[in-house]
Amino acid sequence: MSKVYLIGAGPGAADLLTLRAAKLLAEKAEIVLADDLVSADILALVRPEARVLKVGKRGGRLSTPQDFIHRLMVRLARRGKCVVRLKGGDPYVFGRGGEEVEALAAGGVEAEVVPGLTAGIAVPAAVGIPVTHRAYTQGVTLVTGTSGDGCVEPNWSALAKSGTTLVIYMGVARVLNIVARLIAGGLPPDTPAAAIASGTLPGQRHVKGTLADLPARVSAEGLTSPAIIVIGQVAALAAASTGDLCPQDLAARICAA
Ligand code: SAH
């Protein structure tokens, strides 16, 4: 019996992978069960003798049932294979890593979790948004924008009053609905807001504006999943559009604030 490694692949760019993850992929993995979000550059680091199975789970598309993934991991580990479950971002942040570790424990299989950089923090950073900043906010709330499929709708009206930066995963397809609920909950429509799609990847794009105009900007720019939405004063610190604000300008703006 061997153990299963639940590895976080980070937000996208291969060089944002942890050293521990890269080493396990390159030296130990025999079977890799990879999520859709994991980029080809990262899969290229897997040792050539290993088998890579895509067990994608992307909103709106056909996905591998979670139970099947659980059974497969247990069966392969029992056969003595070194199994890597490779997940986008961090395995324990909206990654069903908790459920997978429970399923492995129920099957008598040891699990080791290798954390990854979560998209909700690394993707805003890629466009100059610090999710916390002493001058603007005392905290950050990571929340899912998806309801249904066993997910409970977040309490948007409580979140509107939280006083923290809101970082919303899996919310871009429902941005109109989410914004309406936050405004109804008392969040001022002119609160800065941004959305970033395919962060840290070559196709990275983002928009920034206010809470009220975010849905129109997202649809005008055609931003689709995977995307992160950031709401709060820190979102105003984003570069106006990708690449047109050099790090020195950004630093000057942050210093002046
Ligand atoms: N475990 C992952 C999150 C999985 S949920 C993590 O810790 O990052 C999938 C959601 O993550 C996507 O719908 C999107 O909201 C976000 N996401 C993942 N990668 C992203 C990327 N490169 N750019 C923008 N958002 C991303």
Side-chain angles (χ1 to χ4, degrees):
M1 173 103 70
S2 60
K3 72 170 138 178
V4 172
Y5 293 91
L6 257 75
I7 298 184
D15 55 358
L16 289 175
L17 203 63
T18 64
L19 289 176
R20 188 179 298 180
K23 203 166 150 57
L24 285 166
L25 293 176
E27 294 174 12
K28 251 187 134 163
E30 289 180 291
I31 301 202
V32 178
L33 306 178
D35 272 355
D36 248 0
L37 277 177
V38 177
S39 68
D41 285 354
I42 289 175
L43 293 180
L45 301 174
V46 175
R47 55 198 277 271
E49 306 82 14
R51 280 190 65 187
V52 177
L53 302 178
K54 286 267 197 174
V55 287
K57 296 193 135 293
R58 213 40 191 277
R61 284 208 241 132
L62 268 185
S63 60
T64 315
Q66 191 65 32
D67 278 358
F68 175 80
I69 298 174
H70 293 170
R71 285 199 302 273
L72 189 61
M73 289 193 297
V74 169
R75 204 177 322 144
L76 291 168
R78 282 188 182 155
R79 282 196 203 152
K81 298 285 182 201
C82 178
V83 182
V84 166
R85 175 75 176 103
L86 189 57
K87 305 167 83 66
D90 183 273
Y92 277 170
V93 181
F94 304 123
R96 305 186 82 160
E99 290 164 52
E100 294 184 6
V101 168
E102 282 164 14
L104 289 168
V109 175
E110 195 189 341
E112 182 174 325
V113 175
V114 178
L117 271 179
T118 190
I121 294 174
V123 167
V127 296
I129 301 177
V131 291
T132 72
H133 184 306
R134 238 156 41 119
Y136 304 111
T137 178
Q138 279 62 58
V140 53
T141 304
L142 307 183
V143 64
T144 174
T146 301
S147 62
D149 189 23
C151 302
V152 177
E153 183 76 32
N155 184 343
W156 296 111
S157 114
L159 289 167
K161 298 169 186 72
S162 73
T164 66
T165 303
L166 300 181
V167 169
I168 304 169
Y169 293 65
M170 298 174 279
V172 75
R174 290 185 71 217
V175 61
L176 194 58
N177 189 293
I178 292 168
V179 163
R181 287 168 189 247
L182 287 171
I183 292 175
L187 198 59
D190 63 354
T191 306
I196 312 108
S198 299
T200 80
L201 291 165
Q204 172 180 308
R205 287 192 300 153
H206 80 276
V207 294
K208 66 165 224 173
T210 63
L211 182 59
D213 67 22
L214 190 69
R217 288 181 191 271
V218 163
S219 87
E221 200 51 38
L223 296 192
T224 53
S225 176
I228 287 288
I229 296 170
V230 187
I231 299 166
Q233 296 307 317
V234 291
L237 300 173
S241 70
T242 309
D244 71 357
L245 200 61
C246 68
Q248 288 82 350
D249 288 348
L250 194 57
R253 264 171 53 167
I254 292 171
C255 289

